[in-house]
Amino acid sequence: MIVGYCQNTADLNPRAVISWMRPGSLAILLAVIPAAAMPGPLDEPHLNIIPRTVSEQVRIDKILSPPADFSVAQPFEEMPAGAATVRARDTADAFSQPSANMPFADELDFKVGNGLFRKLWVSSPSSTLASDGLGPLFNARSCQRCHLKDGRGHPPEGPDDNAISMFLRVSIPGGDPGAMAEIADYIATAPEPTYGTQLQDFSLPGHAAEYRLQIEYEDVTVALSDGEVATLRRPTYTAADLGYGPLHDEAMLSPRVAPQMIGLGLLEAIPAADILAHTDPNDDDGDGISGRANIVWSAEFDMPMLGRFGLKAGAPTVRHQSAGAFAGDIGISNPLFTDPWGECTSRQSDCRAAPHGDRDDRVYEIDGEGLDLVTFYSRNLAVPARRDVDDRQVLRGKELFHATGCASCHVPSYVTHRLEDQPEQSFQLIWPYTDLLLHDMGDGLADHRPEARATGREWRTPPLWGIGLTEQVSGHSYFLHDGRARSLLEAILWHGGEAQATRDAVIDMPAGDRAALIRFLESL
């Protein structure tokens, strides 16, 4: 058994992980990076890690063992973010609180980061020199416009609603496979020649928006046990009113709703080795679950890294994810994505030639300091405390969650790295209910658009913490990557592929057990 985590993972002997990793996990380490660069997926250069001791690892193994008694709550279960957990508020601000263990000296950074997250960007040139650079094509004028109250976005509700917290990613097959030769099973794609990698539905005056998102739903009924019936809605997406000509014949579109923002720094602090320990690409243990790691190229460190963030785990760090959103969603240049015109392609020449916020006295529209402050804010949006952990129905639902196999992908708990300079995330027992891995979710949820190693049928397991507060925070109960599910039950019923057996078990269980399972999820 490995007894510590090396800060320099080049010193880690991959053979030492055989005894403690899930079957097939070592194969991931051997496959995703060539031997000369082994073990690349474990590299975490963005973290200042203090290795664990032998006694700490023993304690961790004990506390993370699966529950044996479902008549009582587990120790510390009511604190999903460890010492960073905040009390559960009954307002829409429940997701907008700083980590409870944040040092007082850092609270100003959190508040300034919040200001930048909420800032409304304006077009160039402008007298507000610190806020110009918007677009010219964009999906929103601020981070907050998509992640309203730091919560979950939603698809447009009727003809009078816009898609400000939802957009379509786009790409075409092909690209340069040699560019990612270091990553095994990488699926090469290329930006759509005219529209880039995502479609923007807003634009500055004088520029056409790229499209209008059009969604049509078809009702699908599902018969449940005890005479109950659920109605799902199957969406069809159309990029209507294209502003720059037709899409490429092989364009692949993928709908994305903005996810909630809580707990991101804690997810980033989970040891990569602990995530890879749950991989089983060949289902060697025969449980039907074949979690795979997405290995992506880091724009921050110019190397392959474990993907953790985004609906297909396409970003390795919170800073990378934040920088990508500034560039793609708002059209704001930054140290990682430097184009001042954002997503405008070479075919959109007027867009590229328009005024922008990069000037002699300002290299990027948001500089490194500003990006770091937004990253700090995003890392430290706190997870609210669990509710009703001792309730009998909640405990029954938790037992069913484990018995039906939900916990195979929605792994309940981890202990984060011990970190030198991030006290909020350092050595915390957390309960995010995710493995951060890719899983085949079946034809029903397939978008048929690859992303790095993720196929068109695979999605990252989303964290479940805070999911019971979605309606309170976001004003709706829409779930899954595109918001098609209008309830937690509908979200479960859309599960297929690796989760088909679990879905069928939920359909067949007595109605009272289904209610208990939903009650447990609502307590998270």
Side-chain angles (χ1 to χ4, degrees):
M1 175 180 177
I2 193 167
V3 295
Y5 290 77
C6 303
Q7 186 167 355
N8 179 1
T9 55
D11 297 331
L12 178 62
N13 178 0
R15 292 176 178 81
V17 303
I18 295 176
S19 62
W20 66 277
M21 278 190 162
R22 184 175 177 177
S25 298
L26 184 61
I28 275 289
L29 291 180
L30 294 171
V32 295
I33 300 294
M38 280 261 296
L42 290 176
D43 286 338
E44 299 167 280
H46 56 301
L47 301 175
N48 293 320
I49 300 166
I50 302 172
R52 294 173 177 175
T53 66
V54 175
S55 61
E56 286 174 345
Q57 190 62 52
V58 171
R59 287 164 51 206
I60 290 168
D61 291 342
K62 182 177 181 180
I63 196 67
L64 296 184
S65 59
D69 182 1
F70 291 96
S71 65
V72 294
Q74 292 170 264
F76 312 113
E77 192 175 2
E78 73 279 6
M79 298 181 66
T85 306
V86 295
R87 67 176 177 85
R89 288 161 171 79
D90 59 2
T91 69
D93 293 323
F95 287 175
S96 300
Q97 308 306 314
S99 302
N101 57 346
M102 178 184 293
F104 178 76
D106 291 339
E107 290 187 10
L108 180 59
D109 285 348
F110 181 85
K111 292 176 180 177
V112 176
N114 183 19
L116 290 169
F117 192 84
R118 297 166 63 92
K119 173 191 279 193
L120 292 174
W121 295 84
V122 298
S123 60
S124 299
S126 169
S127 59
T128 55
L129 298 181
S131 300
D132 67 342
L134 176 67
L137 304 175
F138 56 97
N139 295 108
R141 290 182 59 196
S142 73
C143 308
Q144 181 78 198
R145 287 287 178 92
C146 290
H147 304 277
L148 186 63
K149 292 292 184 180
D150 305 296
R152 190 183 305 270
H154 63 85
E157 299 177 278
D160 296 328
D161 191 15
N162 60 39
I164 196 167
S165 58
M166 182 179 188
F167 64 79
L168 295 176
R169 289 214 181 277
V170 60
S171 56
I172 61 173
D176 179 9
M180 298 298 176
E182 292 184 71
I183 302 176
D185 298 327
Y186 190 92
I187 304 171
T189 60
E192 203 281 340
T194 301
Y195 292 93
T197 60
Q198 71 187 61
L199 296 176
Q200 282 87 17
D201 50 353
F202 292 99
S203 62
L204 297 178
H207 299 271
E210 289 189 321
Y211 84 121
R212 176 177 57 85
L213 177 60
Q214 181 175 304
I215 311 175
E216 296 180 356
Y217 292 105
E218 173 191 359
D219 285 346
V220 179
T221 58
V222 179
L224 310 175
S225 66
D226 293 346
E228 294 187 348
V229 176
T231 301
L232 310 182
R233 55 178 190 172
R234 178 184 289 122
T236 299
Y237 297 98
T238 302
D241 302 334
L242 289 165
Y244 297 88
L247 289 163
H248 190 280
D249 290 342
E250 297 183 276
M252 301 175 289
L253 301 175
S254 179
R256 306 292 175 90
V257 163
Q260 65 187 27
M261 295 288 295
I262 57 173
L264 299 185
L266 293 164
L267 297 176
E268 188 177 49
I270 298 172
D274 291 2
I275 296 170
L276 293 173
H278 293 284
T279 61
D280 187 11
N282 299 315
D283 191 21
D284 292 335
D285 62 4
D287 67 352
I289 305 301
S290 305
R292 300 194 312 126
N294 202 358
I295 307 302
V296 301
W297 194 263
S298 168
E300 189 175 0
F301 298 103
D302 197 30
M303 60 182 281
M305 291 181 65
L306 174 66
R308 301 175 188 238
F309 302 104
L311 293 163
K312 293 206 176 201
T317 67
V318 176
R319 191 169 188 264
H320 181 123
Q321 178 77 359
S322 301
F326 268 117
D329 300 349
I330 314 177
I332 299 299
S333 64
N334 58 75
L336 299 190
F337 299 94
T338 59
D339 290 339
W341 47 74
E343 267 274 297
C344 300
T345 68
S346 59
R347 294 187 181 183
Q348 297 167 323
S349 55
D350 289 345
C351 181
R352 289 199 171 194
H356 53 75
D358 290 5
R359 298 179 297 271
D360 292 340
D361 61 338
R362 182 188 183 201
V363 178
Y364 305 115
E365 291 162 338
I366 185 168
D367 60 14
E369 182 180 9
L371 180 59
D372 288 344
L373 287 165
V374 172
T375 300
F376 182 81
Y377 172 76
S378 300
R379 280 180 176 150
N380 281 289
L381 283 164
V383 181
R386 284 270 313 274
R387 287 84 53 214
D388 304 321
V389 294
D390 294 316
D391 181 89
R392 290 182 61 184
Q393 188 182 31
V394 169
L395 290 170
R396 173 58 178 161
K398 176 183 172 183
E399 182 177 14
L400 292 163
F401 185 87
H402 284 262
T404 57
C406 301
S408 296
C409 300
H410 291 282
V411 175
S413 57
Y414 300 86
V415 172
T416 61
H417 276 303
R418 191 183 290 281
L419 301 172
E420 288 186 351
D421 53 359
Q422 293 178 226
E424 303 88 355
Q425 289 84 42
S426 180
F427 210 60
Q428 301 297 323
L429 170 62
I430 63 172
W431 304 75
Y433 287 88
T434 176
D435 59 8
L436 295 177
L437 298 176
L438 302 171
H439 294 275
D440 182 336
M441 296 301 293
D443 288 331
L445 291 179
D447 67 347
H448 308 292
R449 179 185 177 272
E451 186 172 333
R453 300 181 75 236
T455 71
R457 292 169 55 97
E458 290 180 315
W459 298 95
R460 182 202 67 162
T461 306
L464 297 182
W465 52 13
I467 198 168
L469 296 174
T470 297
E471 187 166 9
Q472 174 185 307
V473 171
S474 301
H476 64 78
S477 56
Y478 298 147
F479 302 105
L480 299 178
H481 66 279
D482 56 359
R484 70 177 68 186
R486 295 161 294 186
S487 67
L488 291 170
L489 178 60
E490 285 189 28
I492 294 170
L493 296 177
W494 272 110
H495 282 49
E498 297 174 40
Q500 183 71 39
T502 296
R503 169 193 180 272
D504 293 346
V506 173
I507 288 175
D508 294 338
M509 67 176 53
D513 280 352
R514 263 196 310 275
L517 176 62
I518 299 302
R519 182 78 177 82
F520 165 69
L521 295 174
E522 290 173 342
S523 78
L524 297 179

